[in-house]
Amino acid sequence: MAYVKTALPKAGALSMLDQRWRHLDKSFWVWGLAIVVLVFLVVNPLLRLLVVSFQDETGAFTFANYVSAYRNLRHVEALGNSLLLGVSAGITCLLFGLPMAWALSRTDMPGKPLIWISILGTFIIPPYLGAVGWILLAGPNAGWLNKAVVALTGMQSGPFNIYSMPGLVLVVACYSFPYVFVLTKSALDLISSEMEDAANILGASNLRTTLSITLPLVAPAILGAFILVFLEAIALFGSPALLALPGRFHVVTTQLWQFFEFPPQVGVASAYAMPLLVITVVLFWVQRRITSRKGYVSLTGKGGERRPVPLGPWKWPVLGYCLLVCTMSFFMPLVVICQAAFAKAWGRGFALDNLTFDNLYRTVFENQLTRTATWHTFLYAGTASLIAIVLALTIAYIVNRNLVNRHVGAVLGFLTMAPFVVPGIVLAIGFYAAYTRPPLLLYGTAWILILAFVTRFLPIAFVNSNAAIRSINPELEDAVRILGGTRFTAIADVVMPLLKRSLAGAFILVFIPATRELSTAIFLYSINTQVLSVLLFDKSDEGNFEMLASIGLVLVVITVALILVGFRLMGRDFMLRRTVA
């Protein structure tokens, strides 16, 4: 019997392809998908915004959009009004925020907890709801302040008109000065009292010491805060729309909104938005360069003691000034909003026979439009928050664990933070340009709002996720992998349990602004996807301030509840610290 010898393959012999597949980290596909989603959310809308600004209706290249955008003097005046608003609001915020930051950080002023809570309350109130409060306070005819002046002096009409540029500057400053306060106070808290003590020993007064020693040390933080407020002011839509349009003047954001009146002029709007985007990017870069210095440093061997400056009898005027600012930004608007929400007719004033709970009851339980908008608001904000947290955590993990090339990681970090420098209204126009035509026709669906919210607040999620990932030693994950676990096992069993509190706080920080976002939603909503912020804006034209106040109060109450949860998880100042960070 003949035997044929056949060569048996070597035991365990594998082809080169099989070897590569065996050693390939299977989680690569997850990281790759996250990068694709990031490009889809950030790069595509901004690229489409730029391309559409140079296209006509047929898609041909043209400069006609830029000519149409800037040949009209009214459009140029709107740009000038925005710059004036930004500068004026920035200066006003410095006048509000600097003394308060110095008083709380460096002095023995009484009542500090009350001032701190009031500033947090200013953060809680959406700027457009604050504008509604100031309409009730300083409306030309029926405003409470004007009524009080007429009653006290016998004048024919009150002196205040909130529908003006000074009124708009005041309202914007009232809800932007906390940025100046937090940034400046954070810098002041890092300065020891040694040089101030030396100046006092040499005969300098407290005022001269503050102006000559303390404030120069935090000058970079002050200048950075001014730029941040400037950018916030020129990008706002809600407050200008409620106050500037009735006052018969425009800023850039309201003019962009008018470009979307039927038929929408997307190309012209894209061209008109370009200067706003360029100004924002340049000033944000300058602000980052300034604040990265962390203030002028003092050369000392070790950190010194920080002692409060005794104000003596001046502590009461300083407290009075702080209370005045908090009254304008928090107490007065909140009081009149509550009065309107619980009144049969807000103009009848504070009287028991004018008290009713029907407004809130109808808003929450009976009004189908409000109930639907409320459901949409929390569904879209919750979904956007989850997606933003997952995407930001994935990108932060990729960057911090060096899963990609260092330069690629830097690009990913830049793209994740890029939406921070894009005004919400400009981002909305980019989404409109990108997703109102095939192959990705999302306009009119809930997903265009959800994805726009994800992109808008992705930087907040990334900052918190990045800090959380960096706090975990990668050796813990290495130990799991040495014992035979996969990367996913290490993430599920080691990383995620350590991140639960941080991610819960990050979720709240994304969810809160998403529930009150107006500048993005106003361009992308449809009749079937209306949210509370848009509903509040639409109802302002009807003059039904009782309903407006009820809707706003619902938003504020829910925001307060979420912040209390955040206090429990992250500490009492998590909102102020992380929002500015």
Side-chain angles (χ1 to χ4, degrees):
M1 187 173 185
Y3 294 93
V4 179
K5 294 183 179 180
T6 57
L8 296 174
K10 276 190 178 182
L14 296 170
S15 67
M16 185 66 68
L17 183 62
D18 291 338
Q19 291 182 27
R20 289 182 176 179
W21 175 255
R22 173 171 291 184
H23 292 94
L24 179 67
D25 187 351
K26 305 305 187 297
S27 61
F28 166 79
W29 306 108
V30 177
W31 318 137
L33 178 62
I35 294 171
V36 171
V37 172
L38 182 64
V39 172
F40 169 78
L41 290 177
V42 178
V43 177
N44 188 39
L46 296 181
L47 186 60
R48 285 298 304 165
L49 180 75
L50 178 63
V51 170
V52 168
S53 70
F54 289 103
Q55 288 181 335
D56 60 17
E57 295 179 357
T58 63
F61 180 84
T62 181
F63 286 104
N65 293 326
Y66 287 87
V67 174
S68 299
Y70 293 104
R71 71 182 176 187
N72 191 319
L73 181 60
R74 186 165 59 101
H75 300 168
V76 179
E77 286 178 352
L79 180 59
N81 287 337
S82 283
L83 298 178
L84 176 62
L85 173 63
V87 173
S88 302
I91 294 173
T92 309
C93 285
L94 292 182
L95 295 177
F96 287 174
L98 285 182
M100 297 179 70
W102 175 76
L104 266 69
S105 177
R106 311 296 291 180
T107 73
D108 62 347
M109 181 191 75
K112 290 183 181 180
L114 175 62
I115 302 301
W116 186 262
I117 292 173
S118 302
I119 294 172
L120 177 60
T122 304
F123 262 126
I124 293 173
I125 297 177
Y128 53 83
L129 183 59
V132 172
W134 271 99
I135 290 172
L136 300 176
L137 284 167
N141 297 315
W144 287 108
L145 295 179
N146 283 321
K147 284 184 175 181
V149 171
V150 169
L152 293 173
T153 64
M155 297 172 58
Q156 294 295 322
S157 61
F160 305 111
N161 181 12
I162 201 65
Y163 301 118
S164 62
M165 179 59 79
L168 179 58
V169 169
L170 175 64
V171 171
V172 171
C174 280
Y175 299 97
S176 299
F177 85 87
Y179 294 109
V180 174
F181 169 83
V182 175
L183 288 173
T184 306
K185 184 179 182 299
S186 299
L188 288 171
D189 287 343
L190 299 176
I191 300 174
S192 74
S193 302
E194 293 174 349
M195 288 185 292
E196 294 171 334
D197 293 341
N200 290 331
I201 291 171
L202 294 175
S205 64
N206 287 335
L207 178 61
R208 184 177 179 184
T209 299
T210 299
L211 296 177
S212 303
I213 304 294
T214 309
L215 291 183
L217 286 171
V218 296
I222 295 172
L223 185 55
F226 174 84
I227 293 175
L228 190 62
V229 170
F230 177 89
L231 296 177
E232 174 79 4
I234 65 174
L236 276 178
F237 172 76
S239 299
L242 291 170
L243 302 179
L245 294 182
R248 300 184 180 277
F249 66 96
H250 276 287
V251 293
V252 167
T253 52
T254 58
Q255 186 59 57
L256 284 170
W257 181 59
Q258 289 218 330
F259 284 138
F260 272 74
E261 292 182 349
F262 188 82
Q265 305 174 62
V266 182
V268 178
S270 301
Y272 192 70
M274 283 301 159
L276 183 61
L277 181 60
V278 171
I279 292 171
T280 304
V281 171
V282 171
L283 288 183
F284 177 74
W285 177 80
V286 172
Q287 190 260 353
R288 296 291 291 180
R289 288 292 300 270
I290 292 170
T291 54
S292 64
R293 299 174 62 183
K294 305 298 183 185
Y296 303 122
V297 298
S298 55
L299 299 178
T300 57
K302 57 183 179 180
E305 184 182 357
R306 297 171 182 84
R307 291 181 297 277
V309 176
L311 293 178
W314 285 100
K315 62 186 177 183
W316 301 112
V318 172
L319 175 61
Y321 180 78
C322 293
L323 287 175
L324 174 64
V325 175
C326 292
T327 299
M328 291 191 299
S329 63
F330 178 62
F331 292 115
M332 284 199 307
L334 187 61
V335 167
V336 296
I337 288 171
C338 290
Q339 185 272 335
F342 292 103
K344 297 175 182 176
W346 73 271
R348 290 172 53 189
F350 298 85
L352 287 178
D353 61 347
N354 193 35
L355 180 66
T356 181
F357 291 94
D358 288 347
N359 298 326
L360 278 174
Y361 183 83
R362 286 197 300 267
T363 297
V364 176
F365 298 107
E366 290 186 353
N367 191 312
Q368 183 61 39
L369 186 62
T370 305
R371 291 172 59 187
T372 302
T374 303
W375 166 246
H376 289 165
T377 298
F378 296 114
L379 176 63
Y380 301 166
T383 307
S385 300
L386 286 174
I387 296 173
I389 294 298
V390 171
L391 180 60
L393 184 63
T394 304
I395 299 298
Y397 190 87
I398 293 171
V399 173
N400 284 280
R401 296 300 185 258
N402 300 317
L403 300 183
V404 294
N405 179 278
R406 179 170 58 88
H407 300 293
V408 176
V411 172
L412 292 178
F414 171 78
L415 289 179
T416 309
M417 291 300 297
F420 182 76
V421 304
V422 181
I425 200 165
V426 176
L427 183 68
I429 296 172
F431 264 80
Y432 186 94
Y435 303 124
T436 54
R437 63 187 68 183
L440 292 172
L441 184 59
L442 299 178
Y443 186 75
T445 70
W447 279 108
I448 194 168
L449 279 171
I450 292 171
L451 295 179
F453 290 166
V454 171
T455 308
R456 180 90 166 92
F457 303 111
L458 186 61
I460 298 176
F462 179 74
V463 167
N464 289 274
S465 300
N466 191 51
I469 289 291
R470 292 177 65 180
S471 69
I472 298 177
N473 194 323
E475 293 178 357
L476 297 174
E477 302 161 54
D478 294 340
V480 174
R481 303 197 70 186
I482 290 173
L483 294 174
T486 65
R487 187 180 296 277
F488 286 131
T489 302
I491 293 174
D493 295 343
V494 176
V495 177
M496 294 306 296
L498 295 174
L499 292 181
K500 284 190 296 186
R501 291 169 63 90
S502 297
L503 294 182
F507 178 89
I508 293 172
L509 285 173
V510 175
F511 185 85
I512 289 173
T515 57
R516 39 195 243 181
E517 172 64 14
L518 175 62
S519 58
T520 304
I522 195 68
F523 283 84
L524 301 177
Y525 85 99
S526 67
I527 191 171
N528 296 319
T529 59
Q530 197 171 49
V531 292
L532 279 177
S533 58
V534 175
L535 179 63
L536 191 151
F537 176 73
D538 286 345
K539 293 300 179 182
S540 64
D541 291 336
E542 301 176 5
N544 188 348
F545 288 104
E546 293 82 10
M547 183 177 181
L548 281 176
S550 300
I551 296 172
L553 201 57
V554 169
L555 272 176
V556 170
V557 169
I558 294 172
T559 303
V560 169
L562 290 170
I563 289 176
L564 291 177
V565 175
F567 286 170
R568 181 73 175 175
L569 293 173
M570 308 300 298
R572 68 182 181 88
D573 61 341
F574 91 105
M575 185 74 179
L576 294 175
R577 280 189 289 108
R578 289 169 175 256
T579 300
V580 174

